[in-house]
Amino acid sequence: MSSFSIAERGYLPNEKFDDDGRVKRTGTWKSASAHIITAVIGSGVLSLAWCFAQLGWIAGSITLALFSVITMFTSILLTDCYRSPDPVTGKRNYTYMDAVKANLGTLQYKLCGIAQYGVLTGITIGYTTTTAISMAAINKSNCFHKHGHQADCSVHNNSFMVIFAVIQIVLSQVPNFHKLSPLSIIAAIMSFTYSLIGIGLSIAKIIDEGIGETSITGRPIDKDFSGMEKMWKTFSALGDVAFAYSFCFVLIEIQDTLKSSPPENKQMKVATAIGIAASTVFYMLCGVLGYAAFGNDAPGNFLTGFGFYDPFWLIDIANICIVIHLLGAYQVLAQPFFGFVENWSKKKWPQNKLITNEFSIFGTDFNVFRLTWRTAYVIVTTIIAMIFPFFNDFVGLLGAGTFWPLSVYFPIELYMSQAKIRKYSFTWIWMQILSLACLIVSLVAAVGSTRGLITSVQSFEPFESVS
């Protein structure tokens, strides 16, 4: 396919092709909403009760609300940057990095690539860990039901990571983002299901045992919990909340699946509003009700930390839903990186048949390079997940690394460049203040999560299950 669009060659788009010469996009705000919910309501929701235990009622609620508003705002700014220079009639930017390159230049494009694909790789590692923890929790739940809550039901997670990796190797052969809509819809349903189960179990626990020991400021300082430890945990909790709202780095890729009418930016704004609003409602319910149920002793993962033991079958269903959801979420987040490497390789070695040739098996398109490289990627991320199987601190570090550069800095800079916001104008000044404030939050969250991760590594016993 020539790099010139149909419109540039003097042709009009028809029922088979869009204005850029590519096969006509068929996505709608509904499918985009499913993609967003799949990307947003992920493993981050599982740690929100723990976050409330560190932050307390007031700071926990305010933090969730602020991250929601900021993410909604910057995401809506980013939707206008899918096309440049005009948000409706401009040239398409197929990826987040393309949008950065079109508006901010080559240097920022390279920095964005390092940040975006580094974070996407980190999150797929985190999802491998989380899925293995949920698989192990199913095993442990049935063990506790059979032998009692005091039984030794520990199990190593590595075997479950291998199972997850094998499934991902198969799913990774889906050629591109446009083929993922059915998987995203299933994953979105699963995320709602396990969130609702967690909410229901929390309500049942509150009815049965009453509200746990909670406070305005979260877990109190005492002889077993110093003020310094409180500070580090608070910082780590901020990273966890930031991670829970991370999806901007795949927004342009999701927007590129939408059909052209109505304009993509209008559809994407609707999808973004629905996706983030729905996510925030579930986050608030999970955080508030989880904290009310467990109090200051809320586990890091409220569905696998065994604050709940019964009904064991319902806990099993919740963890099965987590596994199915993360199977899809892994692909939603990995596909942009897969596509980047493969497109770069085709441009670098256009004559290499192993890279460019497609062949069909049982009606499915295969490519030798795609099969080899994606399989290697899954294997490497799985090995790293086995080395660092720590849920909360890893999630917090990913959130801290993701939030400012990809969810705040680049969306704001892209919008101001495309909208030609005058330097030192009122809009420019307050957007810079917002960006600076978010940078400070990301830095303190990164410090807290790094310290927690180091502590976890030092105290890790390799033959115990990590949950």
Side-chain angles (χ1 to χ4, degrees):
M1 179 74 66
S2 168
S3 60
F4 293 100
S5 70
I6 289 178
E8 288 170 331
R9 293 195 301 255
Y11 296 96
L12 294 174
N14 56 35
E15 67 277 2
K16 292 184 179 180
F17 298 99
D18 272 326
D19 57 350
D20 60 346
R22 295 193 175 189
V23 175
K24 204 167 191 70
R25 296 160 178 83
T26 58
T28 65
W29 63 266
K30 296 177 183 177
S31 63
S33 297
H35 283 314
I36 292 170
I37 291 170
T38 299
V40 177
I41 303 183
S43 57
V45 73
L46 304 173
S47 69
L48 291 177
W50 179 86
C51 292
F52 266 79
Q54 314 313 312
L55 298 168
W57 287 117
I58 295 176
S61 300
I62 291 174
T63 300
L64 267 182
L66 281 177
F67 274 91
S68 171
V69 171
I70 292 169
T71 304
M72 178 88 74
F73 173 69
T74 57
S75 299
I76 287 174
L77 294 183
L78 192 57
T79 62
D80 283 334
C81 301
Y82 169 64
R83 288 181 181 264
S84 300
D86 185 89
V88 176
T89 60
K91 182 181 177 182
R92 296 173 189 266
N93 296 306
Y94 302 118
T95 67
Y96 193 117
M97 286 179 63
D98 287 343
V100 171
K101 188 174 185 179
N103 289 279
L104 302 179
T106 304
L107 176 60
Q108 300 241 43
Y109 164 79
K110 292 178 180 178
L111 293 174
C112 175
I114 294 170
Q116 182 186 11
Y117 297 128
V119 166
L120 289 176
T121 302
I123 294 176
T124 55
I125 293 168
Y127 280 2
T128 302
T129 300
T130 308
T131 307
I133 290 172
S134 289
M135 289 178 173
I138 296 169
N139 186 298
K140 291 166 72 175
S141 173
N142 290 292
C143 173
F144 285 134
H145 178 70
K146 186 178 296 184
H147 302 293
H149 297 174
Q150 305 306 316
D152 180 13
C153 294
S154 60
V155 57
H156 204 286
N157 291 343
N158 284 0
S159 58
F160 297 108
M161 291 188 190
V162 171
I163 294 171
F164 179 74
V166 170
I167 297 172
Q168 285 302 338
I169 287 171
V170 175
L171 292 178
S172 292
Q173 302 316 308
V174 174
N176 54 55
F177 219 126
H178 303 271
K179 305 291 185 181
L180 284 178
S181 289
L183 188 60
S184 274
I185 291 170
I186 293 170
I189 293 170
M190 293 299 102
S191 65
F192 278 125
T193 302
Y194 71 70
S195 296
L196 285 171
I197 290 174
I199 291 168
L201 289 172
S202 296
I203 294 172
K205 185 176 176 67
I206 292 169
I207 293 172
D208 187 45
E209 302 176 15
I211 294 177
E213 185 180 344
T214 65
S215 72
I216 296 297
T217 58
R219 185 177 174 182
I221 297 170
D222 55 35
K223 61 183 178 66
D224 297 320
F225 190 63
S226 67
M228 186 63 70
E229 189 67 20
K230 170 79 172 176
M231 181 186 73
W232 292 126
K233 293 291 186 183
T234 298
F235 289 171
S236 183
L238 290 174
D240 281 20
V241 177
F243 176 76
Y245 279 105
S246 297
F247 95 99
C248 274
F249 41 77
V250 291
L251 185 147
I252 297 293
E253 283 82 351
I254 293 173
Q255 195 166 346
D256 189 47
T257 67
L258 298 176
K259 58 186 180 181
S260 302
S261 180
E264 301 92 348
N265 63 331
K266 290 186 178 180
Q267 294 186 73
M268 198 62 188
K269 285 172 184 174
V270 172
T272 297
I274 291 172
I276 295 179
S279 302
T280 300
V281 169
F282 274 84
Y283 283 176
M284 197 64 78
L285 288 172
C286 288
V288 168
L289 293 173
Y291 183 41
F294 297 112
N296 295 323
D297 295 323
N301 183 324
F302 85 146
L303 283 175
T304 63
F306 288 95
F308 304 117
Y309 286 93
D310 296 300
F312 80 100
W313 56 269
L314 188 59
I315 297 166
D316 286 354
I317 290 174
N319 281 297
I320 289 170
C321 289
I322 292 172
V323 171
I324 296 173
H325 170 247
L326 294 185
L327 285 171
Y330 185 105
Q331 287 302 312
V332 168
L333 296 175
Q335 282 290 340
F337 191 30
F338 290 161
F340 169 75
V341 171
E342 287 153 21
N343 290 332
W344 179 84
S345 299
K346 287 176 182 178
K347 291 178 182 177
K348 186 74 173 176
W349 300 288
Q351 305 303 320
N352 191 316
K353 293 184 178 180
L354 288 178
I355 294 175
T356 58
N357 280 8
E358 299 274 345
F359 57 94
S360 180
I361 298 180
F362 302 117
T364 302
D365 290 335
F366 276 89
N367 170 277
V368 173
F369 176 70
R370 182 166 66 235
L371 175 65
T372 305
W373 129 250
R374 295 189 182 192
T375 299
Y377 175 88
V378 173
I379 291 172
V380 170
T381 54
T382 302
I383 292 171
I384 296 173
M386 290 177 179
I387 297 172
F388 297 107
F390 310 108
F391 180 72
N392 282 88
D393 296 309
F394 196 76
V395 161
L397 187 57
L398 288 173
T402 303
F403 180 67
W404 179 73
L406 298 175
S407 297
V408 179
Y409 172 76
F410 281 118
I412 285 177
E413 293 298 317
L414 282 168
Y415 174 78
M416 290 197 299
S417 172
Q418 181 151 309
K420 294 180 170 51
I421 302 297
R422 186 168 51 85
K423 198 171 186 180
Y424 304 119
S425 65
F426 175 76
T427 301
W428 185 91
I429 290 172
W430 79 259
M431 281 193 174
Q432 294 298 335
I433 292 172
L434 173 63
S435 182
L436 178 61
C438 291
L439 171 60
I440 293 170
V441 170
S442 289
L443 289 175
V444 298
V447 171
S449 298
T450 301
R451 188 259 184 188
L453 192 60
I454 292 170
T455 302
S456 297
V457 170
Q458 290 174 341
S459 61
F460 178 52
E461 296 181 27
F463 297 104
E464 291 187 1
S465 173
V466 178
S467 58

